[in-house]
Amino acid sequence: MTQYLITGANRGLGLEFVRQLLERGERVIAACRHPGRAGALNRFSGAFPGHLKVLPLDVSDDAQIAACFDALGKHWDGFDILIHAIAFAPREAIAGQYLDGLTRENFAIAHDISSYSLAAM
């Protein structure tokens, strides 16, 4: 059985990956910023007992990345596939035309969360 770690698993594509993998009988650790607010993940956990663990993960915090992997190690010896389904930009950075909300700070935040976080993990 393949073991998956899916980040950004509380919505969008990440949540859909979780759903489809659980339906196939796979084991999934779903990591998201606010697990307590991840209603669909919590429902999946009840529907697929033993196949889904939900862990907190704020990828903007290196200590939380380390804590997530420490927690993962308490459930599994490792995992086979990482699905990085995280993308973020501040709301003002994506409103209006492309250059309207473009600042160095917004650009750095978007890349830190959306791409650096994969390398950090």
Side-chain angles (χ1 to χ4, degrees):
M1 182 180 325
T2 306
Q3 298 180 148
Y4 294 82
L5 170 59
I6 303 176
T7 63
N10 58 318
R11 59 178 19 181
L13 287 174
L15 185 59
E16 184 61 17
F17 280 123
V18 170
R19 184 187 67 76
Q20 290 198 21
L21 290 168
L22 289 173
E23 287 178 354
R24 288 181 27 197
E26 303 292 354
R27 293 178 61 199
V28 176
I29 286 188
C32 61
R33 189 170 184 187
H34 301 291
R37 289 192 256 162
L41 281 178
N42 295 326
R43 286 189 298 277
F44 289 162
S45 188
F48 299 94
H51 283 263
L52 176 64
K53 302 285 185 215
V54 181
L55 300 177
L57 175 61
D58 178 350
V59 295
S60 68
D61 182 346
D62 290 334
Q64 280 205 28
I65 293 172
C68 180
F69 279 91
D70 287 345
L72 186 145
K74 293 175 183 168
H75 299 288
W76 298 342
D77 291 334
F79 59 93
D80 302 299
I81 296 174
L82 167 64
I83 297 174
H84 183 268
I86 300 173
F88 175 81
R91 190 171 303 279
E92 65 274 9
I94 55 177
Q97 298 295 314
Y98 175 70
L99 295 177
D100 292 345
L102 182 64
T103 65
R104 186 174 299 276
E105 181 181 0
N106 286 343
F107 189 84
I109 291 168
H111 280 278
D112 180 52
I113 303 300
S114 304
S115 56
Y116 175 77
S117 61
L118 176 59
M121 288 189 298

